[in-house]
Amino acid sequence: MEILGYFGALIIGVVLGLIGGGGSILTVPVLVYLLAVNPVTATAYSLFVVGTSALVGALKNMQKKLVDFRTAIVFSIPAFIAVYATRKYIVPAIPESLFSIGDFEITKNIGIMLFFAIIMILASVSMIRENGKKRSEQVAVSYNYLLIIIEGIVVGVLTGIVGAGGGFLIIPALVLLAKLPMKKAVATSLLIIAIKSLIGFIGDVQNMNINWAFLAIFTGLSMIGMFIGIYLNKFIDGKKLKKGFGWFVLLMGIYIIWAEIA
């Protein structure tokens, strides 16, 4: 199972490199079900893996001048405050026993995995129903500051609880609320994900003991996978794979719900 877990880390990176996102949502299931990591710890490790991977992608996009820094700052500030507060204060404050349904007790760990499964299902729907309409690259960027701040807080809290990047929420928000063209929205979302995930992870460093050696190996394998995926992207159309991966994520979300309540 441990070998499968480390192979899973490599696959996460390959998916990220091939389709530009989505792979990070596999991080928590791989850590929990293949490497037997506690769900709360797994969401913390996931923040680091997601943040590091997104940072690599963001740096590449900066070189191509696709990142809109003003939008990234406006969105990131409320998002990283929310994710840091969630990891530092809210997650540790969640009681070990949430509630019971008959003889079945919903514990903190089960609750986090069920919530994560719901987020996976929502993300899968976003991938499967990907809108083919493209916004003109010439449209002027405009802002709805209040809604961007609210969206940043919501995404920050969700990221803090489940440890996923939330790109499926961020990209539509940047397109609709900041009027960014799709390419810039995708590139800018990576910088936002990197900032809020890594700052959220700092909240965990202050609360729990981190197995740095394990985390370095897992993240390193994901990075290697990411470069393999980027290379394979020259021969395989990542967009065509995205819908298929969306169905896989949907099945994974359903499996997690079954595994936790069965």
Side-chain angles (χ1 to χ4, degrees):
M1 290 297 278
E2 193 173 346
I3 292 168
L4 277 176
Y6 286 120
F7 181 70
L10 195 70
I11 296 301
I12 288 163
V14 172
V15 172
L16 278 167
L18 268 174
I19 68 175
S24 60
I25 208 161
L26 297 178
T27 308
V28 170
V30 166
L31 288 168
V32 172
Y33 296 114
L34 296 181
L35 294 167
V37 176
N38 174 279
V40 175
T41 306
T43 56
Y45 288 0
S46 178
L47 284 176
F48 183 81
V49 175
V50 169
T52 307
S53 302
L55 185 60
V56 172
L59 290 172
K60 282 182 61 189
N61 285 319
M62 284 179 202
Q63 292 173 341
K64 297 176 184 176
K65 297 184 177 177
L66 287 172
V67 176
D68 189 300
F69 289 99
R70 181 183 167 198
T71 305
I73 292 167
V74 171
F75 199 104
S76 293
I77 291 173
F80 78 65
I81 292 171
V83 74
Y84 175 83
T86 301
R87 296 307 301 184
K88 174 74 174 158
Y89 302 109
I90 296 175
V91 171
I94 298 172
E96 288 302 319
S97 177
L98 298 176
F99 58 90
S100 296
I101 302 172
D103 295 330
F104 184 69
E105 183 185 15
I106 303 292
T107 63
K108 178 179 182 175
N109 286 343
I110 292 173
I112 285 174
M113 292 309 296
L114 290 176
F115 186 63
F116 184 83
I118 292 167
I119 297 298
M120 284 187 82
I121 290 168
L122 290 174
S124 71
V125 171
S126 174
M127 285 184 245
I128 293 165
R129 296 177 57 191
E130 188 176 16
N131 194 339
K133 293 178 184 177
K134 292 187 177 179
R135 184 176 296 279
S136 168
E137 302 295 317
Q138 305 302 317
V139 173
V141 177
S142 62
Y143 296 87
N144 186 327
Y145 285 104
L146 179 61
L147 286 177
I148 289 174
I149 290 167
I150 292 169
E151 177 88 10
I153 293 169
V154 170
V155 170
V157 172
L158 287 176
T159 298
I161 293 172
V162 303
F168 75 101
L169 290 172
I170 296 171
I171 294 168
L174 296 182
V175 172
L176 296 172
L177 304 180
K179 303 294 187 291
L180 282 185
M182 184 56 78
K183 275 189 180 179
K184 281 199 168 187
V186 172
T188 305
S189 77
L190 285 175
L191 181 58
I192 294 167
I193 289 167
I195 293 169
K196 69 183 178 59
S197 298
L198 293 174
I199 289 177
F201 179 70
I202 292 170
D204 287 305
V205 172
Q206 297 170 329
N207 281 340
M208 62 178 70
N209 293 320
I210 306 294
N211 185 338
W212 290 104
F214 167 79
L215 189 55
I217 293 168
F218 192 94
T219 307
L221 286 169
S222 292
M223 289 291 104
I224 292 168
M226 190 170 180
F227 288 114
I228 292 170
I230 290 167
Y231 174 75
L232 291 175
N233 208 14
K234 296 175 184 176
F235 312 102
I236 304 167
D237 186 355
K239 288 180 181 177
K240 290 180 181 176
L241 292 175
K242 196 164 190 175
K243 188 171 282 190
F245 181 69
W247 284 108
F248 175 73
V249 171
L250 177 63
L251 292 174
M252 278 292 297
I254 293 168
Y255 169 77
I256 290 171
I257 292 171
W258 175 83
E260 293 299 328
I261 65 176

